[in-house]
Amino acid sequence: MIYSVFMPGRVSIFVTCILDQLFPKAGVAMVAVLERLGYDVEFRKEQTCCGQPAFNSGFHDEARAVARHFLDVFDGAEHIVVPSGSCTSMISHHFADIFAGDTKMLQRVHAIEPRVHEFSTFLLNVAQTDDVGARFPQRVTYHDSCHALRELGMKDVPRRLLRKVKDLELIEMDTAEECCGFGGTFSVKFAQISSGMANTKVDSILKTGASHVVSVDSSCLMQLRGTLSRSGHKVETIHLAEVLAAR
Amino acid sequence: MRENTRQETLDDPKLQLALYTATGRLMDHRKKAIGGGKVPEYQDLRTRAAAVKRHTLDYLDVYLTQFEAAVQANGGKVIWARDGAEAADFILSLAKEKGESLIVKSKSMTSEEIHLNDRLIKHELETVETDLGEYIIQLAGLRPYHIVAPALQMTRYDVSTLFEEKLGIAKDDVIENQTMTARRVLREKFLAAGIGITGANFLVADSGAVVIVENEGNARLSSSAPKIQIAIAGIEKMIPRVRDLGVFLALLGRSATGQALTSYTSILSGPRRKDERDGPEEFYVVLLDAGRTKLLADKEKRESLQCIRCGACLNYCPVYRKVGGHSYPWVYSGPIGKIITPQFQGKEKDPWLPFMSSLCGVCAEVCPVKIDIPKILLALRRESQKSSDDAGAMKWFARLMTRPWLYRLAASFGLGWLGRKDGVWVREVKWPASSGPLKDWLAVRDFPAPPEQSFRDWWEKRRK
Amino acid sequence: MSSAREEIINRVRAAISRKVGDKPAAPPEPLLRIRGYKLDEKIAAFRAALEALSGTVTETHSRAETQSAVKRLLDGRTAVASAHPLLAEQWVTEIEVVQSGLTGADLRNACASAGVGITSAYCLLAETGTIVFRASAEESRLISLLPPVHIAVVSSRRMLGGLDEMLSMIARPVDDSSAMVFITGPSRTGDIEQILVRGVHGPGHVHVVIVHEEDIR
Ligand code: SF4
């Protein structure tokens, strides 16, 4: 562990629409962790969504409108911290796709890209810590959300943080890298397939004997918890931020 | 036998297990061959393979003509076919001219694509598939379930019943015995056939060679025993030089079945030479377009033509592993099928196909030639947006998400309507939420009751 | 069919916006992965690779040893041998159950009924345990294909590191031969339940006898 001299500054958080409306606790937890590290946290209240639902459905005009709104809201923010791998990747990878050919907008996009951080990556790379002083006396298993894993390449980041949590036991499931089946509108358009995928994951979660499934994406957790709950299993789902906020 | 529908496949626990186990085995083979630093230069190989394929497509006319000249120099002939009918017509007239009535075939997805067997059998040419999996599905009258393992969904018990019914032999569910039965039956065909039809994994421009990668030996037999060999291949199978093979073979075997090299790789170039002891007397290569040039013209999706048909994207695809190969509208299934079917067969065939994906991206991760399948799926979704029923909803989405006050209002009323309660998961909701997407969600899993306060409410309160 | 030819080529050119006579860019340099090995390293690697595929490797240092190694592998079965000179030199063709010098229909029939096919090889590839066959006046395609067992008797001088080394030495394998085949282990299938079964259409058993020619004279 390298401790460099660094001054926590101001961070702007992007609390994604699904977190804001359905899983606010994860947002609250993220604020707690950031403040514990000495950051001055701001929440720009004009924020809404990153536009991914439209982008993934093939609606670029609509996605662009939402993306433009995002860029306006976060104009001038030094660090934008996002508690979602999927939304981070939308901003840092796909904003460039939807504005392809629009040099002026691309300039704005490229300017914001390096300032957008997925929450756990922010802790490791910017705050430069893998130990935030958390304690969580449970047996947990970690679900790699697809975009965090494949687009952001975050295989180790969340695990490094989890390993430093006191009294936490991390058990890997055999299908950690497999998709939970959420996939946005896919989860309702192809509900049966989506649910089949979720059940495969649930089987492998149950095999670990974990009490909690941890992830950096609330949408995956909603899918998994909804499935666990439907089949009467008591396993809980929890956002990484909530684990890190616990003491 | 008939095909299972998507829903039947999902509902059949036996089939689910067969599908999951078989694809799981293929995944394990690949992992063992590539994982753990077994091939340190693996990523370089992928990058190189993708670059060579891209280059070849960029200059395809040059390589096609170079290939043709080289085949001729080797004593073979190149036949150009604009579509499946032209390819079949050539084979039919050749068989007639030479008086041949029995054809042995080794596995070729290209020939499946143009329904070559049906076309030949209609004209009373006995056409026998000789790859074990293809033989089984030909007997069963089914389309290939998987581009590498055509009978992937069938168990030993299915094969036992099938052989009893079609070959009139006693039931036997030992896989070794079933395999030996096929050997015996097909050996006679190999020795009697006048024409052998093979596919091609690669066409090598600088040599006029057809490269066939296989494990069973049926492609070797099809190209060695009969008097006439015909190789049928899409024009996109081209690579510039024999020396490029090292990269492609290293990737293909490992990605498909976890083999550093498959049992047999044949580099075939023309009829037997003057003093060779055996081999075909005549050698033809049928170069097929059938939609490929149309796709080539589409810059955004052209890379779909880089595919080397390894099947890795199918094995890893969590959707394929649930719905199986017959849930896709064409002979190509899985992620690669999802992107090429609309491009070759038109979007009408199954307008929702590009949407049958969670965009998890594992296909692109395992693809040995780096085809960005999710990107192409998104492009296809974009093209179909105008006709899709989401257009209205997406207009509203954009309106909502660009007007924070409206977003807040909608959330507070819409979700409020469901009844706010912390930490509760619901199985039912009130009308009108009980129709529409939430209904589809709730058909298979629970939904979180909206919490008593949203994040922004909490933030507002805290600041006071 | 020449119209189909013109049409396809024109469609291709239109698709990639290329005009006749435009000079194509050079393809990316071939990536040839060639490692330096000593002979004993190559033999060890070859043995490991082929044995992993259930094949066997025997090394011999004299004609008598070669002959008896082949005899032992034949185990009384009839065999058909190719016309490769090494087989005669190593006294393999003198074994009484071995037929050799056949051509045409005789050759084909012998292959269809023999228990074992004996060949030499163009070369061996150590990294993958591969026997490289090349159709010629000496080697026929069917001997290593029809019988249920394949024995290849090959000089140690023909041992190469891997595929790329071979490709770097011979730019066009198609010159002077209509077929080159890389034989890597026995014929196999996994088409029923992805369970491995050997010997589906080709030989189910592959044996390689490496003759240390440097020791013989
Ligand atoms: S798309 Fe890629 S992974 Fe899928 S079959 Fe083709 S080459 Fe293999």
Side-chain angles (χ1 to χ4, degrees), chain C residues 62-78:
Chain C
S62 70
R63 293 178 179 89
E65 241 181 81
T66 308
Q67 194 191 46
S68 72
V70 173
K71 256 193 196 154
R72 189 172 43 73
L73 290 166
L74 285 175
D75 197 21
R77 288 170 293 203
T78 58

Side-chain angles (χ1 to χ4, degrees), chain B residues 147 307-314 336 363 366-369 371 373:
Chain B
I147 59 180
C307 176
I308 56 172
R309 306 277 187 259
C310 72
C313 59
L314 281 70
I336 182 66
C363 45
V366 299
C367 177
V369 288
I371 302 175
I373 295 176

Side-chain angles (χ1 to χ4, degrees), chain A residues 13 15-28 31 35 41-66 69 73 94 97 146-147 149-151 175 177-179 181-200 219 221-223 225-227 229-232 237, chain B residues 6-7 10-11 20 27 31 316 318-319 321-323 352-353 355-363 365 374-375 378 381-386 388-392 394-405 407-408 411-412 415 420 422-423 425-428 437-438 440-460 462-463:
Chain A
I13 53 173
V15 179
T16 69
C17 51
I18 182 173
L19 235 83
D20 176 29
Q21 292 302 326
L22 294 174
F23 303 101
K25 271 161 83 187
V28 173
V31 173
E35 288 181 345
V41 180
E42 69 162 16
F43 174 77
R44 300 188 177 186
K45 61 185 205 296
E46 300 295 284
Q47 62 179 266
T48 55
C49 172
C50 63
Q52 186 169 198
F55 174 71
N56 280 357
S57 304
F59 291 84
H60 277 205
D61 291 344
E62 287 77 359
R64 265 193 297 269
V66 179
H69 178 75
V73 168
H94 300 303
D97 295 342
C146 296
H147 293 161
L149 178 70
R150 301 202 176 84
E151 295 191 334
T175 60
E177 292 189 4
E178 267 174 47
C179 179
F182 175 69
T185 55
F186 169 77
S187 67
V188 289
K189 287 225 159 73
F190 295 92
Q192 301 294 334
I193 304 174
S194 164
S195 144
M197 288 158 69
N199 279 313
T200 300
S219 44
L221 293 176
M222 178 165 81
Q223 161 89 344
R225 180 62 193 279
T227 306
S229 165
R230 176 60 57 96
S231 43
T237 52
Chain B
R6 221 173 262 174
Q7 195 57 49
L10 286 163
D11 291 342
Y20 199 74
M27 283 166 76
K31 273 182 207 150
Y316 276 76
V319 172
R321 299 184 79 194
K322 287 291 158 198
V323 300
W352 284 109
L353 193 61
F355 295 84
M356 194 173 77
S357 163
S358 65
L359 299 176
C360 78
V362 73
C363 45
E365 180 185 301
K375 187 193 83 188
L378 283 168
R381 289 180 182 190
R382 237 182 121 190
E383 287 166 17
S384 76
Q385 57 151 308
K386 285 185 186 62
S388 107
D389 22 321
D390 287 341
M394 285 303 160
K395 288 253 141 43
W396 269 108
F397 166 79
R399 243 171 249 156
L400 221 61
M401 295 305 185
T402 49
R403 293 172 181 77
W405 62 272
Y407 162 79
R408 235 165 342 194
S412 105
L415 292 171
R420 295 192 173 273
D422 278 349
W425 290 73
V426 297
R427 227 155 267 198
E428 279 170 6
L438 207 46
D440 297 326
W441 177 277
L442 288 167
V444 286
R445 71 224 120 177
D446 294 348
F447 191 75
E452 272 145 35
Q453 58 181 1
S454 68
F455 179 84
R456 64 188 64 222
D457 292 342
W458 173 82
W459 183 267
E460 286 299 313
R462 185 171 102 118
R463 284 216 311 192

Side-chain angles (χ1 to χ4, degrees), chain A residues 3-247:
Chain A
Y3 290 94
S4 62
V5 191
F6 101 111
M7 293 291 291
R10 195 172 172 79
V11 295
S12 197
I13 53 173
F14 172 49
V15 179
T16 69
C17 51
I18 182 173
L19 235 83
D20 176 29
Q21 292 302 326
L22 294 174
F23 303 101
K25 271 161 83 187
V28 173
M30 174 169 76
V31 173
V33 173
L34 291 171
E35 288 181 345
R36 192 190 293 164
L37 294 174
Y39 282 98
D40 178 13
V41 180
E42 69 162 16
F43 174 77
R44 300 188 177 186
K45 61 185 205 296
E46 300 295 284
Q47 62 179 266
T48 55
C49 172
C50 63
Q52 186 169 198
F55 174 71
N56 280 357
S57 304
F59 291 84
H60 277 205
D61 291 344
E62 287 77 359
R64 265 193 297 269
V66 179
R68 205 184 293 264
H69 178 75
F70 180 96
L71 293 171
D72 290 345
V73 168
F74 286 98
D75 197 35
E78 190 190 342
H79 292 299
I80 303 158
V81 183
V82 187
S84 157
S86 190
C87 304
T88 305
S89 153
M90 175 67 203
I91 303 159
S92 59
H93 288 52
H94 300 303
F95 273 17
D97 295 342
I98 55 179
F99 290 113
D102 183 340
T103 3
K104 238 181 74 209
M105 284 311 290
L106 278 179
Q107 256 175 12
R108 292 185 67 189
V109 169
H110 293 321
I112 211 166
E113 277 166 0
R115 292 186 279 128
V116 175
H117 314 272
E118 184 281 327
F119 169 63
S120 58
T121 315
F122 177 83
L123 295 182
L124 229 62
N125 292 354
V126 183
Q128 305 205 357
T129 178
D130 57 5
D131 189 347
V132 295
R135 176 173 173 269
F136 193 71
Q138 300 287 350
R139 171 186 279 205
V140 308
T141 188
Y142 180 78
H143 161 67
D144 287 284
S145 66
C146 296
H147 293 161
L149 178 70
R150 301 202 176 84
E151 295 191 334
L152 304 178
M154 303 172 31
K155 181 79 188 167
D156 285 338
V157 173
R159 288 177 173 80
R160 275 179 63 187
L161 286 154
L162 283 171
R163 270 188 221 107
K164 287 285 162 74
V165 173
K166 269 216 334 251
D167 301 332
L168 178 145
E169 187 188 357
L170 175 64
I171 312 233
E172 291 289 346
M173 61 176 119
D174 50 12
T175 60
E177 292 189 4
E178 267 174 47
C179 179
C180 67
F182 175 69
T185 55
F186 169 77
S187 67
V188 289
K189 287 225 159 73
F190 295 92
Q192 301 294 334
I193 304 174
S194 164
S195 144
M197 288 158 69
N199 279 313
T200 300
K201 291 277 318 195
V202 161
D203 289 346
S204 101
I205 290 166
L206 293 175
K207 265 196 284 174
T208 63
S211 61
H212 290 72
V213 188
V214 184
S215 181
V216 296
D217 271 288
S218 295
S219 44
C220 304
L221 293 176
M222 178 165 81
Q223 161 89 344
L224 291 172
R225 180 62 193 279
T227 306
L228 283 158
S229 165
R230 176 60 57 96
S231 43
H233 293 294
K234 291 280 169 275
V235 181
E236 306 254 357
T237 52
I238 186 167
H239 194 283
L240 179 66
E242 293 173 71
V243 175
L244 298 181
R247 6 181 49 160

